[in-house]
């Protein structure tokens, strides 16, 4: 396993080096945090007597890397640790390894080509994959459930839950469209995706946009892509939002949701907003969970098998 | 009774679900990178024995079920109920056939299910006399135990001897030296 990890890192570095994408390093500790209501961060105390500051461990290197992009770095990649509090399970460890990269000038389809090429290189010699599949969120959601993910119909969604032995979905999700999509997608769609193949799902509904740009032709969807193999979520990418006003608005919205749900308060990334104001070049980027990738390469059932010291033994 | 959050759901934990006591079998954490976290839980209803799958929003909690494991001695079967006794207090419980078979639990002071110890030592009250020279290999003969159960034992085992029996298979294991 040690060798497999080293081999994968090496293959990634060769892949990007051949494409003149620069390897970078950014801080794991930051004065600001994400605002995403679905993520919990770790905090730590920075003591510099008489001063004391709260610092956050990054949940992904996205903000720092975007600051580099705005400063004119060109295309960059990074292999680093990321931390998400409270996430532990067969596919989650609170500390995990990410590969994140940004391609200046790429739109989503080009990024998707590159994802397929990289995964092809990494799986080569370990496991033969079936041809890569690409589906729009709407088409894949509809084909497995018969529901339209872009239009929220409370009746249809409830009826679907009842008919699929998931009546609890009604009380969990209520009238929250995004929550319904999370529920149904993760229970009834995702497990079917990418049978021994890379499966990319793009065009997420606008209510699940996060840091993606709204599609220029259809305002109901965003330029966001997710990558799956054997039903395992490997990565999430965007045609990146470059509008500082829109970004600021989404941050404020998420902070408000965090307050309502009484989640730990986050500190808005001032530097990121400043970077967007200075001008983030048109770019696309994605983060891939390398531990899960190793699970697939090694055919492991649990993330603990590919970590030297999972959290219980950290 | 304490309540348990989805993070504390472990195999074997007893909780109340839809007013029935249930035991957690399996708990899987499901979380899209950019979405709501869920726990998909396999759970056994201890009253009906049925296994169901149920999804919870991560962080939700369930009331613990007041289910206790009690070691008891089997007394007799009256045709309808089987009777058990707690050896320390001499308290007696009766339970119907449905409850006998699974793990032994008490809920609201009513027996929910009974599981025998894996191995029990019982005396043979009746069996045919053995023949000298027989070994443990080969045929065997039926032997009636003090509880009334009949198991096959090797020919050399005598009436009055105590033997060890595996209750999961109903098979003879060995003789027990007194």
């Amino acid at each position: 396993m040690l060798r497999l990890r080293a081999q994968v890192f090496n293959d990634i570095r060769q892949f990007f080096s051949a494409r003149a994408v620069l390897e970078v390093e950014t801080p794991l500790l930051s004065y600001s945090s994400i605002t995403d209501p679905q993520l919990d961060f770790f905090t730590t105390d920075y003591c510099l007597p008489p001063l004391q500051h709260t610092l956050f461990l990054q949940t992904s290197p996205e903000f720092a890397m975007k600051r580099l992009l705005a400063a004119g770095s060109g295309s960059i990649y990074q292999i680093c640790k990321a931390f998400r509090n409270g996430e532990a399970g067969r596919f989650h460890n609170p500390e995990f390894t990410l590969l994140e990269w940004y391609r200046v000038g790429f739109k989503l389809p080009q990024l998707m080509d590159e994802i397929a090429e990289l995964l092809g290189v990494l799986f080569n010699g370990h496991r033969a994959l079936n041809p890569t599949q690409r589906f729009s969120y709407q088409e894949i959601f509809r084909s497995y459930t018969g529901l339209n993910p872009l239009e929220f119909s409370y009746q249809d969604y409830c009826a679907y839950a009842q008919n699929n032995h998931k009546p609890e979905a009604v009380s969990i999700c209520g009238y929250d469209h995004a929550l319904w999509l999370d529920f149904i997608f993760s229970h009834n769609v995702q497990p079917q995706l990418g049978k021994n193949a890379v499966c990319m799902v793009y065009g997420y509904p606008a209510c699940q946009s996060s840091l993606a740009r709204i599609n220029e032709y259809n305002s109901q969807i965003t330029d966001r892509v997710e990558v799956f193999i054997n039903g395992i979520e490997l990565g999430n990418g965007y045609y990146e939002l470059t509008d500082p006003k829109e970004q600021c608005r989404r941050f404020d919205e998420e902070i408000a949701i965090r307050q309502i749900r009484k989640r730990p308060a986050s500190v808005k990334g001032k530097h990121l907003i400043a970077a967007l104001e200075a001008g983030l070049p048109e770019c696309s980027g994605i983060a891939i969970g390398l531990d899960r990738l190793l699970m697939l390469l090694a055919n492991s059932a649990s993330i603990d098998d590919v970590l030297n010291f999972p959290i219980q033994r950290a | 009774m304490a309540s348990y959050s989805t993070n504390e759901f472990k195999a074997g934990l007893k909780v109340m679900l839809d007013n029935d006591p249930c035991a957690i079998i399996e708990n899987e954490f499901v979380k899209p990178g950019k979405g709501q976290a869920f726990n998909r839980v396999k759970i056994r209803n201890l009253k009906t024995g049925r296994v169901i799958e149920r999804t919870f929003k991560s962080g939700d909690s369930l009331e613990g079920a007041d289910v206790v494991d009690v070691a008891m001695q089997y007394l007799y079967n009256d045709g309808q109920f089987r009777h058990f006794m707690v050896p320390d207090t001499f308290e007696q419980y009766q339970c119907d056939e449905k409850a006998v078979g699974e793990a032994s639990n008490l809920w609201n002071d009513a027996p929910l299910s009974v599981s025998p110890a894996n191995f029990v030592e019982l005396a043979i009250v009746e069996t045919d006399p053995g023949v000298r020279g027989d070994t443990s290999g080969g045929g065997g003969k039926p032997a009636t135990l003090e509880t009334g159960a009949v198991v096959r034992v090797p020919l050399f085992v005598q009436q009055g001897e105590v033997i060890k029996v595996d209750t999961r298979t109903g098979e003879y294991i060995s003789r027990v030296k007194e």
Side-chain angles (χ1 to χ4, degrees):
Chain A
M1 189 53 66
L2 285 175
R3 284 174 204 283
L4 182 61
R5 187 176 280 266
Q7 162 95 57
V8 165
F9 282 29
N10 200 13
D11 288 349
I12 292 170
R13 293 197 160 105
Q14 277 183 6
F15 179 88
F16 286 115
S17 157
R19 291 164 183 243
V21 179
L22 190 67
E23 179 164 13
V24 297
E25 201 177 61
T26 54
L28 299 180
L29 284 171
S30 165
Y31 283 100
S32 60
S33 67
I34 40 85
T35 53
D36 188 332
Q38 310 290 8
L39 291 181
D40 274 329
F41 33 71
F42 285 90
T43 56
T44 183
D45 296 322
Y46 172 39
C47 299
L48 192 68
L51 300 176
Q52 188 168 4
H53 295 281
T54 297
L55 294 183
F56 300 91
L57 278 168
Q58 69 175 9
T59 54
S60 95
E62 177 157 7
F63 292 0
M65 290 180 79
K66 282 184 173 169
R67 286 164 66 189
L68 289 179
L69 289 160
S73 65
S75 296
I76 49 177
Y77 79 98
Q78 168 158 224
I79 296 172
C80 65
K81 285 295 181 79
F83 304 84
R84 295 183 186 178
N85 215 340
E87 298 192 5
R90 215 147 66 76
F91 298 104
H92 297 81
N93 194 63
E95 172 179 351
F96 60 102
T97 304
L98 273 182
L99 160 67
E100 182 145 336
W101 82 93
Y102 292 87
R103 288 300 234 136
V104 173
F106 273 31
K107 291 199 171 176
L108 208 54
Q110 290 162 282
L111 183 71
M112 286 162 71
D113 292 341
E114 192 162 75
I115 296 165
E117 284 160 32
L118 173 66
L119 291 175
V121 168
L122 297 180
F123 276 81
N124 186 22
H126 294 285
R127 185 167 175 168
L129 292 178
N130 298 325
T132 298
Q133 306 158 330
R134 296 177 188 210
F135 301 105
S136 79
Y137 188 98
Q138 187 176 24
E139 111 189 65
I140 198 79
F141 199 90
R142 186 169 264 162
S143 78
Y144 283 110
T145 66
L147 297 170
N148 180 1
L150 303 184
E151 306 276 355
F152 180 52
S153 157
Y154 183 70
Q155 270 83 15
D156 290 356
Y157 283 37
C158 287
Y160 176 81
Q162 296 289 357
N163 296 334
N164 286 275
H165 314 292
K166 294 266 177 287
E168 65 269 30
V170 177
S171 58
I172 291 177
C173 305
Y175 289 90
D176 186 336
H177 185 197
L179 193 49
W180 272 104
L181 295 180
D182 278 341
F183 191 104
I184 296 175
F185 193 86
S186 56
H187 285 78
N188 299 83
V189 181
Q190 185 181 325
Q192 323 286 337
L193 298 180
K195 301 241 160 67
N196 203 37
V198 178
C199 175
M200 289 191 254
V201 178
Y202 60 90
Y204 271 65
C207 62
Q208 307 210 316
S209 61
S210 207
L211 281 82
R213 200 189 290 230
I214 298 290
N215 187 276
E216 56 179 325
Y217 305 110
N218 180 354
S219 64
Q220 281 187 308
I221 60 173
T222 61
D223 290 328
R224 169 179 169 198
V225 62
E226 287 250 358
V227 184
F228 303 92
I229 298 178
N230 284 353
I232 299 176
E233 181 191 19
L234 269 188
N236 176 56
Y238 310 122
Y239 181 35
E240 303 291 345
L241 187 63
T242 52
D243 177 357
K245 284 207 201 77
E246 169 70 9
Q247 185 65 70
C248 216
R249 194 187 59 74
R250 289 193 196 176
F251 278 165
D252 290 339
E253 225 173 71
E254 290 185 335
I255 286 173
I257 295 175
R258 286 190 79 92
Q259 275 168 352
I260 294 168
R261 296 190 190 162
K262 301 199 165 58
R263 308 302 292 263
S266 41
V267 175
K268 192 158 65 168
K270 279 184 306 197
H271 293 300
L272 177 69
I273 302 286
L276 294 185
E277 276 163 357
L280 180 69
E282 303 281 305
C283 63
S284 293
I286 180 157
I288 301 269
L290 290 185
D291 307 302
R292 289 191 194 161
L293 187 84
L294 284 165
M295 281 175 71
L296 285 163
L297 289 174
N299 251 323
S300 327
S302 165
I303 196 166
D304 290 2
D305 300 342
V306 303
L307 299 170
N308 291 326
F309 306 110
I311 190 72
Q312 309 84 297
R313 298 195 293 123
Chain B
M1 195 75 197
S3 71
Y4 297 95
S5 139
T6 52
N7 292 329
E8 299 170 282
F9 289 5
K10 299 242 161 56
L13 181 74
K14 316 271 194 318
V15 291
M16 294 299 294
L17 182 66
D18 305 333
N19 298 318
D20 275 350
C22 294
I24 308 266
I25 300 173
E26 206 180 275
N27 175 16
E28 176 127 310
F29 180 69
V30 179
K31 184 182 187 311
K34 300 282 172 187
Q36 172 67 45
F38 302 105
N39 287 69
R40 204 154 46 195
V41 182
K42 255 197 200 148
I43 203 163
R44 168 179 278 119
N45 183 317
L46 292 172
K47 277 170 79 182
T48 63
R50 278 189 56 202
V51 174
I52 55 163
E53 250 192 39
R54 182 69 77 93
T55 296
F56 298 90
K57 213 163 141 177
S58 291
D60 281 358
S61 55
L62 285 178
E63 196 75 6
D66 194 4
V67 174
V68 284
D69 291 335
V70 184
M72 280 186 263
Q73 191 183 345
Y74 173 63
L75 298 177
Y76 61 93
N77 181 351
D78 68 5
Q80 188 181 6
F81 294 105
R82 294 177 186 225
H83 295 259
F84 296 85
M85 179 181 74
V86 182
D88 298 345
T89 62
F90 304 106
E91 263 180 283
Q92 291 192 17
Y93 292 93
Q94 61 175 34
C95 68
D96 59 18
E97 294 292 331
K98 205 177 74 185
V100 181
E102 288 292 330
S104 158
N105 299 302
L106 275 186
W107 179 57
N108 283 353
D109 270 349
L112 210 48
S113 58
V114 176
S115 71
N118 288 344
F119 301 103
V120 291
E121 291 175 4
L122 295 166
I124 295 174
V125 292
E126 197 192 331
T127 188
D128 292 337
V131 181
R132 186 172 284 280
D134 276 335
T135 59
S136 65
K141 58 183 179 180
T144 309
L145 305 178
E146 54 184 317
T147 57
V150 178
V151 296
R152 279 201 85 74
V153 298
L155 295 173
F156 61 80
V157 177
Q158 302 293 331
Q159 192 165 311
E161 281 188 296
V162 176
I163 61 166
K164 189 170 169 185
V165 177
D166 187 331
T167 58
R168 294 164 294 186
T169 57
E171 278 172 13
Y172 164 88
I173 302 290
S174 64
R175 279 194 293 186
V176 179
K177 295 238 166 70
E178 297 201 40

